[in-house]
Amino acid sequence: MISTLLVANRGEIACRIFRTCGELGIRTVAVYSDADANALHTRVADAAVRLPGAAPADTYLDAGLIVKAAVAAGADAVHPGYGFLSENADFARAVLDAGLVWVGPPPEAIEAMASKTRAKELMGLASLGEVTEADLPVLVKAAAGGGGRGMRIVRRMDELDAALESARAEAASAFGDGEVFVEPYIENGRHVEVQILADTHGTVRALGTRDCSLQRRHQKVIEESPAPGLSERLTAELHTLAVRAARAVDYVGAGTVEFLVAGDKAHFLEMNTRLQVEHPVTEAVFGIDLVAEQLRVAEGHALADEAPHARGHAVEARLYAEDPAHDWAPQTGTLHRFAVPEGVRLDTGFTDGDEIGVHYDPMLAKLVAHAPTRAAAIRKLAGALERATLHGPPTNRDLLVRSLRHEEFAAARMDTGFYDRHLTDLTEPAPDPYAPLAAALADAHGRSRFGGWRNVPSQPQVKRYARAGEETEVRYRYTRAGGLEADGVRVLHADAGRVVLEVDGVRRNFEVARYGDEIHVNTTRLTALPRFPDPTTQHAPGSLLAPMPGTVVRVAEGLAVGAAVRAGEPLLWLEAMKMEHKVTAPGTGTLTALHAAPGQQVTVGALLAVVQEA
């Protein structure tokens, strides 16, 4: 029996595993980097061990350090979570060699499926050899990675060499292995996967299907179970292939087999030898706890004689601190307030007052809704997201709500190209026109310099705010009776936290919260601006500013001051929160300044380069 479990991970998944351990009476041990010293997962664990440093390579990816932490804390088992070392066979061996229980598949199974090329061979499939024009479009993929890293879509032959070079560089940086391969790229395919659960007594079960087609940068955003619209024949085929993959490597524990579905045909992608981020939708539909099952299997127990039965439908949305309208740029800062309505499941590694840093994935939480029907689950989740309180950096909340309510998604006609087609519409600003006024009136509460009654009307008061990258100006005035008024709007109530307006006979309520210059009015995020801009903050035309804090991973080959550049040409790449971002030339002209070098840490707004347009 496992008595003390160390989770070799952080954030949301560590907290989720600790929750199950608490229900089972298992003591928990967290590990944390210096950047995570006060993270939620360290606060909810029974014990925590420091991993000195902040970079993943020095902390969560250091297998020896984590095994030492487990031994020092008296743990008798290790759960890897997902990401980091979860699919590292050498780490699994190190845990077992230390005499600890490994909550995962055998190292040999991890090794067999670690390379996508070897996994395809085990399934009797092959990658493309020499690529020809007839093969296009194709997908270049890292053999040893995931999460969208080291992947490039190639539509023209003259793009292939650059895509191979770029994918190799990113794969080597992210996974320490620059091997890539090429496979056909299926346009408008669906990403469908099967949850596998196997014990040490020969039982392998396929637990339904999941659709994970809504993705950005090959990373999933919205997932659901069961995958809608699949025929019984195709579902049975997917289950058969998934079980075959598991048996081929004597798999044990929870795992996932992923497919790309086009029409009524399935194409094997890979097997993930770990728990998936989207596992809660399967848990909701089958009424099971996959982490508890992992722990039981690791203790040597057999799976229940009777397989669980599916009930209803579940949908999950990943809430990220990012700006979808600006190349999904990750966001940092303080999460001042975070609360969701009752009735949905919340898996998170954050709570009020926590800092969202630059070192790790920008996912804040997963929200999961379960209902008897797909339509009811979608409506439940969209409503919960819309009513959630999110005070802090910008998030993808509005994108998630619009995606869930999009006609294609509602009709289950989505595919992996969903955001390629609809991102512009889904991120089109739809600001509440009265949110800035509500912010100004809340700010004005109690600020009248002349007391209540006044003999003459006051001059208009002016406030300026930034909202979704656009500036807006608000005017209001104090009345003779000491109240507030704005043209065309009746002010029924105004204090520092709540404003009530009447517009065209309709009464509207606004909840207002202010944190320095950051203001939240219902779901609208505003930044208070000075009345007169500071001229010292202005930059020369053609300046390229860092869109986020991060690390310069590389500069375009041969790029130097004086070089001619074309509009849209990549000049350098930034890495932040596990994602790589291109910084491109704003226009065609000459590079007149370059302030970035590989390995350099930059803050948001830092000047990277200047291009003088022709």
Side-chain angles (χ1 to χ4, degrees):
M1 297 288 287
I2 295 171
S3 62
T4 303
L5 179 77
L6 179 141
V7 176
N9 220 293
R10 64 176 298 280
E12 171 265 327
I13 184 57
C15 293
R16 185 265 169 275
I17 296 169
F18 292 158
R19 186 169 66 238
T20 290
C21 288
E23 294 169 356
L24 297 178
I26 297 174
R27 292 185 70 255
T28 56
V29 179
V31 288
Y32 65 92
S33 69
D34 291 341
D36 276 339
N38 195 42
L40 181 62
H41 75 277
T42 70
R43 306 198 302 265
V44 299
D46 294 311
V49 181
R50 176 181 174 235
L51 306 176
D58 301 327
T59 54
Y60 299 109
L61 289 173
D62 190 324
L65 204 59
I66 291 176
V67 172
K68 286 181 182 177
V71 173
D76 51 14
V78 173
H79 193 304
Y82 45 67
F84 294 130
L85 294 170
S86 62
E87 294 179 281
N88 187 303
D90 289 338
F91 177 52
R93 288 193 183 96
V95 170
L96 293 169
D97 289 346
L100 306 174
V101 174
W102 169 250
V103 184
E108 296 75 19
I110 298 174
E111 213 156 46
M113 288 295 180
S115 167
K116 295 179 177 63
T117 51
R118 289 198 296 275
K120 284 177 176 289
E121 291 169 3
L122 282 170
M123 296 293 289
L125 305 169
S127 305
L128 283 175
E130 185 175 347
V131 179
T132 67
E133 193 81 38
D135 296 319
L136 298 177
V138 296
L139 185 64
V140 179
K141 296 178 70 174
R149 305 298 300 272
M151 296 179 68
R152 303 290 187 274
I153 299 171
V154 179
R155 302 184 186 278
R156 301 198 328 245
M157 286 298 294
D158 60 1
E159 299 173 344
L160 181 60
D161 289 344
L164 288 167
E165 180 183 354
S166 175
R168 287 190 187 109
E170 187 176 4
S173 171
F175 314 117
D177 185 344
E179 181 189 355
V180 299
F181 66 96
V182 181
E183 65 183 13
Y185 178 67
I186 299 173
E187 302 272 12
N188 304 321
R190 289 175 60 187
H191 189 119
V192 177
E193 58 191 33
V194 176
Q195 175 70 56
I196 287 295
L197 192 59
D199 61 22
T200 56
H201 302 270
T203 300
V204 180
R205 287 199 177 122
L207 296 177
T209 57
R210 296 190 289 251
D211 188 294
C212 310
S213 298
L214 266 63
Q215 303 177 5
R216 54 95 160 114
R217 296 187 166 205
H218 308 292
Q219 292 181 315
K220 301 159 190 173
V221 177
I222 293 176
E223 305 102 344
E224 59 182 306
S225 182
L230 300 185
S231 66
E232 290 186 11
R233 182 203 66 77
L234 180 57
T235 300
E237 179 186 344
L238 293 173
H239 285 179
T240 299
L241 288 170
V243 170
R244 190 173 93 195
R247 291 197 182 281
V249 294
D250 295 325
Y251 198 80
V252 174
T256 297
V257 184
E258 301 191 348
F259 302 89
L260 197 61
V261 172
D264 211 31
K265 187 175 181 180
H267 304 263
F268 172 78
L269 287 176
E270 61 182 313
M271 183 176 185
N272 294 128
T273 53
R274 54 172 169 78
L275 199 65
Q276 292 280 90
V277 179
E278 57 273 18
H279 75 274
V281 292
T282 298
E283 292 182 321
V285 167
F286 283 91
I288 60 173
D289 183 330
L290 284 171
V291 172
E293 293 294 330
Q294 285 184 296
L295 295 169
R296 282 178 48 79
V297 167
E299 290 177 331
H301 298 291
L303 296 177
D305 293 336
E306 184 178 352
H309 299 288
R311 303 174 298 104
H313 201 96
V315 187
E316 172 181 295
R318 302 190 191 186
L319 185 67
Y320 286 96
E322 66 183 11
D323 186 352
H326 294 90
D327 198 28
W328 311 94
Q331 306 293 305
T332 60
T334 303
L335 185 63
H336 302 288
R337 181 86 175 93
F338 182 29
V340 300
E342 293 184 1
V344 296
R345 170 174 167 175
L346 174 68
D347 285 10
T348 183
F350 290 91
T351 189
D352 295 358
D354 285 351
E355 286 295 316
I356 303 166
V358 301
H359 297 285
Y360 312 110
D361 188 278
M363 188 173 75
L364 298 179
K366 303 177 309 194
L367 276 72
V368 186
H370 180 242
T373 66
R374 180 175 187 266
I378 291 172
R379 182 171 62 185
K380 187 177 182 180
L381 182 56
L385 280 163
E386 194 171 47
R387 296 192 305 276
T389 301
L390 274 168
H391 296 170
T395 70
N396 66 337
R397 184 247 297 272
D398 290 346
L399 174 86
L400 294 174
V401 173
R402 293 183 184 184
S403 299
L404 290 165
R405 291 173 175 167
H406 194 278
E407 59 181 0
E408 277 189 23
F409 185 80
R413 298 198 313 270
M414 66 285 180
D415 55 61
T416 55
F418 180 83
Y419 287 122
D420 293 336
R421 295 190 302 275
H422 302 301
L423 184 61
T424 300
D425 292 337
L426 291 170
T427 56
E428 184 70 27
D432 186 326
Y434 300 103
L437 175 60
L441 294 174
D443 186 53
H445 174 66
R447 291 194 178 213
S448 172
R449 292 174 299 161
F450 305 105
W453 183 87
R454 64 182 63 243
N455 190 38
V456 295
S458 69
Q459 293 298 311
Q461 304 294 307
V462 179
K463 297 280 187 181
R464 295 172 59 250
Y465 300 97
R467 175 180 58 184
E470 300 290 333
E471 291 189 16
T472 185
E473 189 175 88
V474 176
R475 294 174 179 269
Y476 63 92
R477 69 175 70 237
Y478 292 99
T479 66
R480 291 182 178 179
L484 295 164
E485 66 178 9
D487 292 343
V489 178
R490 187 180 173 202
V491 182
L492 301 180
H493 174 82
D495 62 36
R498 180 170 171 267
V499 173
V500 182
L501 304 178
E502 187 178 284
V503 183
D504 296 328
V506 178
R507 179 172 172 164
R508 299 193 55 190
N509 296 304
F510 298 88
E511 299 297 325
V512 184
R514 180 160 186 161
Y515 311 91
D517 290 336
E518 179 185 320
I519 305 165
H520 294 266
V521 182
N522 292 348
T523 61
T524 299
R525 184 181 190 275
L526 303 168
T527 301
L529 299 176
R531 186 170 181 182
F532 303 104
D534 182 355
T536 63
T537 64
Q538 304 302 308
H539 290 280
S543 295
L544 280 76
L545 307 180
M548 70 209 73
T551 304
V552 179
V553 289
R554 63 184 187 278
V555 176
E557 187 176 356
L559 187 67
V561 173
V565 297
R566 299 188 310 274
E569 176 184 346
L571 302 183
L572 54 94
W573 287 261
L574 290 177
E575 183 177 80
M577 296 185 179
K578 293 175 60 178
M579 299 198 336
E580 202 171 88
H581 304 264
K582 286 188 297 188
V583 178
T584 61
T588 298
T590 303
L591 185 73
T592 60
L594 180 61
H595 302 286
Q600 179 181 343
Q601 297 281 333
V602 297
T603 58
V604 64
L607 181 63
L608 302 174
V610 179
V611 173
Q612 183 176 343
E613 294 193 30

